[in-house]
Amino acid sequence: MDAERTILAGRAWSLLMDDVATQLLAGRGLAIPNLGVFTFAVRQERMGGASINGARAKADKWVLHRATPIFRLSSQLKQRTRLKEEPHGPAGPVIVRSVMWDALAARAGCSRRAAEGAVAGRLRRFTEAAASSGDATLDCGLVGAIRVAKRFATFAPSAELRRLLRGGGGGGAGGSSRPSSGSSGGPQFSADELAFLGASEQVGRWQQADDELAAEEAATEAALAKAAAAGDAA
């Protein structure tokens, strides 16, 4: 039984990291409960503002930099372990998804409860090591690794993930949007990105989620427009 749980834990964690990689390459973040958020850095740029009394005012503008994936510790993890991390500035304008536990469990061949428990066990061991000694490493598979040394946490993206993001994956440096895939609103993935992700199944699953989200947003906008029209008529 212990061997089976160990295998399940490894499989569930690997699939979860595949999902993180998929989201980053699509220009989105992914939040993992009791760990934190994988997202992107923003950089500060000085922009010219409106003219005031003949003088050109200046204003700071935070610009998304999707070639630089980062990881932010959750507040709960910081409180339990007293870990510190490099300041990343304000959160970027990135869509951050939650873990799709039901889909992950189906791919892992177990129940949702088992998948959540397997991931929680992996995170618990990492948290205990970080809290007790101040040193720990969390292998994040395709994504890279989270390393803790002297209670300072750093995220090291994998070389292949950095290469793909610099080459235009996830919107490319500077935050331009990735082209949509045909009739749907989801992202396209290059052959290199699909090879990196290992399979197109998870990409199709996230594509379906994008389509469902777009349909929900369209229905909401239609309902708001109808309500506004009714109000004007009254």
Side-chain angles (χ1 to χ4, degrees):
M1 184 64 70
D2 288 341
E4 291 180 3
R5 280 199 293 264
T6 299
I7 293 173
L8 173 59
R11 184 164 62 245
W13 181 255
S14 177
L15 290 170
L16 179 57
M17 291 302 103
D18 289 352
D19 287 346
V20 173
T22 301
Q23 290 304 295
L24 290 175
L25 289 176
R28 297 183 292 249
L30 189 70
I32 300 177
N34 300 314
L35 180 63
V37 178
F38 290 90
T39 182
F40 294 95
V42 292
R43 62 173 181 262
Q44 194 174 31
E45 292 185 358
R46 181 70 73 175
M47 309 294 290
S51 177
I52 302 176
N53 296 328
R56 193 74 175 173
K58 293 185 179 296
D60 290 336
K61 180 180 181 181
W62 291 97
V63 179
L64 182 64
H65 189 45
R66 285 199 173 109
T68 308
I70 62 173
F71 172 75
R72 294 176 178 272
L73 294 170
S74 70
S75 58
Q76 297 92 335
L77 184 59
K78 286 182 179 180
Q79 291 172 0
R80 288 199 303 270
T81 60
R82 293 179 294 162
L83 293 180
K84 297 180 180 179
E85 62 181 335
E86 181 181 0
H88 299 299
V94 181
I95 296 174
V96 176
R97 289 285 178 79
S98 300
V99 178
M100 298 174 66
W101 289 111
D102 290 331
L104 190 148
R107 290 158 61 210
C110 64
S111 67
R112 171 172 176 160
R113 181 177 180 181
E116 289 179 321
V119 170
R122 173 70 66 95
L123 295 180
R124 184 168 55 252
R125 290 190 293 274
F126 169 70
T127 300
E128 290 173 351
S132 61
S133 66
D135 295 275
T137 298
L138 184 62
D139 183 358
C140 298
L142 297 177
V143 181
I146 298 171
R147 299 188 177 93
V148 176
K150 298 181 180 179
R151 300 199 181 281
F152 191 86
T154 58
F155 170 54
S158 69
E160 185 65 7
L161 178 63
R162 291 199 307 270
R163 183 187 73 80
L164 290 172
L165 288 172
R166 283 198 302 267
S176 59
S177 61
R178 175 189 288 274
S180 62
S181 54
S183 60
S184 62
Q188 290 180 331
F189 290 91
S190 69
D192 278 352
E193 290 167 344
L194 287 173
F196 172 67
L197 295 172
S200 60
E201 176 186 354
Q202 62 185 354
V203 175
R205 179 168 46 79
W206 285 111
Q207 179 68 65
Q208 181 181 0
D210 280 338
D211 294 343
E212 292 173 353
L213 181 61
E216 290 178 3
E217 291 175 345
T220 300
E221 290 179 0
L224 291 174
K226 183 177 181 180
D232 292 341

